[in-house]
Amino acid sequence: LLSIMGGILTPSEGKVLFDGTEIYGLPEDRLSEYRAEKVGYVFQFASLLPVLTAKENLLLPTLFRGSRRGGEEKLAREYLEMVGLGAKVNAYPSQLSGGQQRRVAIARALMNEPEVVNGEKRITFVLVTHSSELAREAGRQIRMSQGRAEQLG
């Protein structure tokens, strides 16, 4: 599901619409732009590059965007502050606990200010879980079974 939402895998049938646009009708360069600008991923494991500091790991997605907007370093510091890691800006992943690494990954997913992330800005968070207890905490639940989506509650 997440790979289809991110434009990585093509669905075997149906359409994937984002803001009214069928993403699988986009040319490859526009699909890459969609992934870079509209979707942020937070994986189960932090997937930080060990040779980069926390701040440098946050700046990585901005490199794939192509043009720089300016202020990326300031934004990286703000997001690290937001997740409680302002004092760890120059720490390497090996100097962080597992929980701190995941918080860096969350901040990294927000760096390009995507509209969808696996507050003040309009952001949709998509959480994929097998835990019914955790799913009940979500404002909206959709169950996937054999490729079909069913809205709950």
Side-chain angles (χ1 to χ4, degrees):
L1 174 64
L2 295 177
S3 293
I4 290 172
M5 286 175 57
I8 296 167
L9 291 178
T10 305
S12 55
E13 61 181 87
K15 295 181 180 181
V16 178
L17 300 172
F18 188 88
D19 280 343
T21 300
E22 167 60 55
I23 67 168
Y24 289 97
L26 298 174
E28 187 56 41
D29 61 329
R30 293 278 321 279
L31 190 56
S32 293
E33 186 178 285
Y34 159 79
R35 279 191 290 266
E37 295 179 3
K38 303 289 186 184
V39 181
Y41 281 99
V42 180
F43 297 98
Q44 183 172 358
F45 301 102
S47 302
L48 302 177
L49 294 179
V51 297
L52 300 179
T53 65
K55 181 181 75 175
E56 291 167 340
N57 268 285
L58 263 66
L59 292 172
L60 195 57
T62 67
L63 298 174
F64 298 117
R65 188 176 55 233
S67 65
R68 294 181 63 94
R69 293 184 285 215
E72 283 91 352
E73 290 208 22
K74 181 178 183 270
L75 188 60
R77 288 179 183 277
E78 288 175 8
Y79 280 130
L80 286 170
E81 287 283 341
M82 183 181 76
V83 297
L85 294 174
K88 301 287 187 177
V89 171
N90 294 312
Y92 289 92
S94 63
Q95 298 169 314
L96 301 171
S97 70
Q100 289 171 326
Q101 290 179 28
R102 282 186 284 286
R103 286 188 276 157
V104 171
I106 290 167
R108 181 184 57 197
L110 298 171
M111 272 302 290
N112 280 337
E113 299 181 312
E115 294 176 36
V116 177
V117 179
N118 308 182
E120 295 174 20
K121 299 177 183 176
R122 190 182 125 224
I123 297 176
T124 300
F125 284 86
V126 177
L127 170 71
V128 178
T129 182
H130 294 282
S131 168
S132 299
E133 183 178 327
L134 181 59
R136 281 192 290 276
E137 299 295 321
R140 180 176 177 204
Q141 296 175 42
I142 298 173
R143 178 181 301 157
M144 293 291 298
S145 178
Q146 297 184 357
R148 302 233 181 260
E150 168 192 6
Q151 183 160 333
L152 305 175

